[in-house]
Amino acid sequence: MTPKEIVQNFYKSDALLDSNIMESSLHPEVILDWNSSKGFLQMNKAEILALSAELQIAYTRSKIRISHILEEENLVSVRYSHYVKTFENPREEMLLAHFMVIWEIKDGKLYRGFQMSQLS
């Protein structure tokens, strides 16, 4: 699988709400640098998995709509919008945020991420 296919499969798989998919997609030494509306976060694998567990509690469904994806060697840049459905209102899809992330792929897994997000 190419790095681009690895990243596409990750976001299309609903990994953000499935800890098993998330676990298998992340390199053991993964680091994510995230510039969010709350400031800068640097997350390791355990922290990313904990965030995924929190999302599983808050949302019934998650959908990623990729608008741009570019690959250069083992680096993949993705621009996407993240939509969710809540337990309280499972019929309404809400735009959670817009994201731009660059992933480095190592050993067929997400290894190093640089992400920026903006609330909708």
Side-chain angles (χ1 to χ4, degrees):
M1 220 183 309
T2 68
K4 182 178 176 180
E5 291 169 334
I6 290 167
V7 172
Q8 280 179 313
N9 288 342
F10 172 74
Y11 286 112
K12 288 182 179 181
S13 70
D14 209 12
L16 299 172
L17 294 185
D18 188 325
S19 55
N20 293 327
I21 296 172
M22 181 68 77
E23 169 76 31
S24 66
S25 300
L26 299 176
H27 191 278
E29 298 169 4
V30 66
I31 297 291
L32 175 64
D33 289 347
W34 183 1
N35 291 289
S36 75
S37 57
K38 295 181 180 179
F40 177 77
L41 300 166
Q42 187 173 66
M43 303 172 79
N44 62 24
K45 187 171 185 173
E47 292 164 326
I48 295 169
L49 291 172
L51 175 62
S52 178
E54 287 177 30
L55 292 174
Q56 287 176 323
I57 293 168
Y59 303 113
T60 61
R61 181 96 168 98
S62 170
K63 182 184 261 185
I64 302 296
R65 292 196 180 124
I66 296 173
S67 61
H68 298 83
I69 185 163
L70 303 168
E71 174 185 29
E72 184 177 315
E73 298 179 11
N74 66 332
L75 298 175
V76 180
S77 301
V78 186
R79 182 182 178 274
Y80 67 91
S81 298
H82 188 180
Y83 294 84
V84 294
K85 292 184 179 183
T86 64
F87 284 99
E88 294 82 17
N89 194 359
R91 294 180 187 205
E92 182 183 349
E93 187 174 76
M94 299 181 341
L95 174 59
L96 187 61
H98 300 287
F99 291 85
M100 178 64 206
V101 60
I102 301 168
W103 278 111
E104 179 182 349
I105 305 302
K106 182 177 179 182
D107 303 328
K109 297 184 182 260
L110 304 177
Y111 173 66
R112 190 77 168 97
F114 303 91
Q115 177 169 279
M116 295 178 69
S117 62
Q118 178 182 1
L119 294 175
S120 63

